[in-house]
Amino acid sequence: MLIRNATLLLEGKAARKDILIQGGKIKSMGHFRGKGIDATGLFALPGIIDAHVHLREPGATQKEDFRTGTRAALSGGVTTVLDMPNTSPPTTTLARLREKRALASKKAACDYGFHFGAGEDNFEEVKKAKPGSMKVYMGKTTGDLFLPDEKLIFRHFMNFPREKPVVVHAEDQAIIDAEGRTPLAAQVAVAKAAMLARRASRRMCIAHASTPREIELAKKWEKSLVETCPHYLFLNEKDAEGLGCFGKVYPPLRSERERRGMWAALGSIDYLSTDHAPHLPEEKEGGAAGFPGLGVSLPLMLDAYSRNLVGMDWIISRMCENPARIFNIRGKGRIAPGFQADIVLVDLRREWKVRADGMESRCRWSPYEGRVLRGSVEKAIFRGELAYERGSGIICETKGKEVMAR
Ligand code: DOR
Ligand code: ZN
């Protein structure tokens, strides 16, 4: 298998190369003879690794399941997804992790991993299950996962191996109860999480930072890592108002000032995930919080690139290399010999309009509906196979595998 004449970043510089693929892995980059996928005029990036998605299985497959969610991923150039544990039932026991594994191994069209839920009383289960990553909820959100007490958070921080990441949903429930999901609710929780992580001397990821102050507070502990999501970069509270019930997400969209501040703080953000949280339109009307994001996250960033808001090196490090490193996903996140042949070919000049009804996700709406973006996903190559092509959709369902090191 050969990808011909792609433009890619090599040591920081754009170069035209053919990419030779063998056995699902990148063999080398150079100039080769032979037939293959013509990538003339297209830019090649490593397959995107989205470390924060809600695939809703088991328990809410009317919203999404492993098949529809991973197909939506591929259509956006995402070749690896890490699933969140706030399903019903939540992923807090080895048996439930096994149940998810069995479902995903049959249905996933791209690679995947699982975050394990930190429960009030599942310390032994964590030891038994040996998950690749854990998720702590400091505030209540979709599902029942919630740790009411800092002592429990600290115990999980101590209980879980130091080389593995713990991801924290940092919104302080006491402040939420008093004044709602304000920036302060997020910032206080981040400060607490960073303090507890420091005491436990462990690395910890702040999920979906929505204000620059959260980033600052997280970074008071050197082993903190910070995630943000496209909606905190591309949407603000005015957009939320305009979207009505479709504008509800936790943490909420912030002021224009905070949104701009997030762009100014780009250098301190470690990785970008979608927090793909699909709900059906009727569920949104009933108050459900969350945005779908798979399918548009890379195009949004490419559009920002076309407007000189971000460099290609940032996109590759924050959406590919860093999530691979942070979540111990080996052999992924780079276009280099020996790495898995997950490659997304994008057209940096093509303008297209976001239309949810053409997307793979089961939820069939998007907060970006109607937006014109410059930068499109033309082809997604997964494990060396052409898996998605613009215009044709998913053309090959290679089975995905579990990837986080355990
Ligand atoms: O808006 C959100 N939706 N925030 C979360 O923390 C959870 C997510 C969901 O699972 O629906
Ligand atoms: Zn989430």
Side-chain angles (χ1 to χ4, degrees), residues 92-348:
T92 47
T93 67
L94 173 58
R96 288 173 186 172
L97 180 61
R98 284 187 171 143
E99 184 192 352
K100 270 197 177 178
R101 274 192 184 129
L103 290 164
S105 71
K106 286 194 203 86
K107 299 171 79 172
C110 73
D111 285 341
Y112 53 86
F114 305 102
H115 298 282
F116 197 79
E120 288 184 47
D121 193 23
N122 69 340
F123 302 96
E124 284 314 305
E125 287 290 330
V126 173
K127 292 216 150 116
K128 269 202 295 191
K130 299 188 177 54
S133 159
M134 294 223 8
K135 177 80 180 272
V136 166
Y137 286 89
M138 297 176 79
K140 294 182 191 163
T141 178
T142 306
D144 309 322
L145 275 177
F146 167 60
L147 287 185
D149 174 352
E150 278 164 42
K151 287 200 190 79
L152 292 173
I153 298 170
F154 185 66
R155 235 181 110 188
H156 275 294
F157 278 10
M158 296 296 288
N159 188 54
F160 197 53
R162 296 294 193 280
E163 70 280 7
K164 292 180 176 179
V166 174
V167 180
V168 180
H169 180 118
E171 286 188 290
D172 187 88
Q173 192 56 44
I175 299 181
I176 294 174
D177 292 339
E179 61 174 47
R181 294 180 183 265
T182 55
L184 187 70
Q187 291 155 2
V188 165
V190 168
K192 280 186 189 167
M195 177 197 74
L196 294 170
R198 172 193 304 237
R199 260 176 43 209
S201 188
R202 69 159 308 121
R203 90 197 153 91
M204 177 266 309
C205 307
I206 295 295
H208 42 55
S210 59
T211 63
R213 183 75 180 133
E214 287 161 71
I215 305 171
E216 241 172 74
L217 289 164
K219 296 286 171 172
K220 302 225 179 232
W221 166 231
E222 62 188 18
K223 289 186 178 156
S224 295
L225 297 152
V226 177
E227 172 198 79
T228 194
C229 315
H231 42 277
Y232 303 113
L233 296 172
F234 293 94
L235 298 169
N236 64 22
E237 62 194 2
K238 288 262 157 56
D239 296 307
E241 259 176 57
L243 285 161
C245 61
F246 290 90
K248 185 166 167 186
V249 63
Y250 300 156
L253 299 180
R254 304 300 191 191
S255 68
E256 179 59 12
R257 192 166 151 261
E258 303 282 14
R259 187 191 73 85
R260 283 174 185 269
M262 292 301 285
W263 283 98
L266 229 47
S268 316
I269 290 163
D270 296 284
Y271 64 107
L272 186 81
S273 315
T274 56
D275 195 2
H276 177 76
H279 298 283
L280 296 180
E282 55 270 34
E283 295 168 331
K284 289 299 284 182
E285 274 152 23
F291 291 163
L294 287 169
V296 287
S297 57
L298 178 57
L300 283 164
M301 294 315 295
L302 296 177
D303 184 73
Y305 170 81
S306 81
R307 292 183 281 132
N308 287 321
L309 292 171
V310 66
M312 196 57 81
D313 52 338
W314 191 95
I315 295 177
I316 293 171
S317 62
R318 271 54 173 201
M319 297 180 83
C320 311
E321 288 172 1
N322 291 3
R325 191 187 66 243
I326 293 165
F327 293 95
N328 302 314
I329 300 169
R330 295 188 193 117
K332 294 229 209 198
R334 287 183 58 199
I335 298 182
F339 277 70
Q340 188 165 314
D342 296 352
I343 293 166
V344 46
L345 299 175
V346 301
D347 185 338
L348 295 172

Side-chain angles (χ1 to χ4, degrees), residues 382-397:
F382 170 60
R383 292 185 179 269
E385 307 264 357
L386 181 60
Y388 167 84
E389 193 166 32
R390 191 181 57 79
S392 320
I394 304 292
I395 50 182
C396 156
E397 259 189 45

